[in-house]
Amino acid sequence: MDPVRAAFSAECGQLTVILAGLVDADLDRPTDCPPWTVRELVAHVRTGVGRLTDMLAAPAPPRAEVDAAGYFGRAKFTPPVDADRIAAGRRDASRVDRAALATEWDRAWRATDAAVAATPPDRVVRTRHGDAMSLTEFLRTRVVEVGVHGLDLAAALDRRPWLTPPAAEVIADLLTGGRPTPAELRWDRLTLIRKTTGRAALTAPERAAIDAAGFRWLAFGR
C-alpha cells in the first residue's frame, strides 16, 4: 500500500477507536480550536475526509498546480474562510448524535479509502478552495488534518496523543520538506509536529534553528 494511504488508514482507524469510547460529557469539552467543542471539531475533520469522494466524482482538472505544502497557505485562514469553516463544523455536528459519531466517522473515512484505492494516484482533483492537486498530494493533506487535529482532540480530552507512527512520518516529512531536523533541537516527530503547527510554543533559539534549516512555514488553524 502507498505510504500516504497507509498513514491515512492508520490514523483514521485509531480515531475510530477513540471516538467509540467517548461519552456525551467528552463531546461538550472545549478545544484549542475555538469556538469548537470536541463534537464540532470531529465533525469538521469528518467532513474534510469525506469530501474526497465527491472530488473524485467530478471532472479531473488538466494538471496539478498545487502540492500539499502549497495547500496550507494563509489564504485558507482569512477571517471569511475561518467563519465559514466554523459555521460548517457546528452545522455538521448538529446532524450526528454521540451514539452514531464513531460509526459515521468510520463510514466516512472508509468510503474515502475505498475511492482512493480504486483511483490512480496521479489522478488530479480540485479542492473546494479551487486548488488542482494530485490525489496523493491531497490525501497527504487529509493525513495532516486528521493527525494534527487528533493532537487538538487529545489535549481537549486530557489524553496522551495517539498520533500513529505512519501518520507522524508523513506529517513530519511535509513540515520539514524532507530535510533533517537540526540535531541541536533533539526533537522526536511528535515534538516537531506540535512545535511547527503551533500546538507547543517555540523558543527563540528553536525558531532560529528551524529558519536556518530552511523549513517551510505552513499555515495551520487552531
Side-chain angles (χ1 to χ4, degrees), residues 65-182:
E65 299 172 349
V66 177
D67 63 8
Y71 175 86
F72 290 104
R74 296 195 180 279
K76 305 294 194 306
F77 301 99
T78 61
V81 175
D82 275 339
D84 180 67
R85 183 182 295 115
I86 289 167
R90 289 182 151 178
R91 181 180 62 249
D92 293 344
S94 69
R95 297 172 178 170
V96 180
D97 62 20
R98 181 203 58 79
L101 193 65
T103 301
E104 285 296 307
W105 163 255
D106 199 61
R107 180 200 59 76
W109 83 257
R110 289 187 185 280
T112 294
D113 184 62
V116 171
T119 307
D122 59 353
R123 162 67 149 86
V124 180
V125 297
R126 191 173 300 282
T127 75
R128 72 185 183 96
H129 300 286
D131 302 309
M133 306 178 66
S134 75
L135 174 58
T136 295
E137 286 299 290
F138 184 74
L139 190 63
R140 200 183 308 274
T141 72
R142 300 307 88 189
V143 176
V144 173
E145 290 277 343
V146 180
V148 173
H149 279 318
L151 300 182
D152 298 326
L153 291 170
L157 295 166
D158 295 323
R159 300 194 185 188
R160 292 176 61 87
W162 54 75
L163 185 67
T164 61
E169 183 174 357
V170 167
I171 298 168
D173 184 69
L174 176 61
L175 293 170
T176 63
R179 297 177 176 85
T181 303

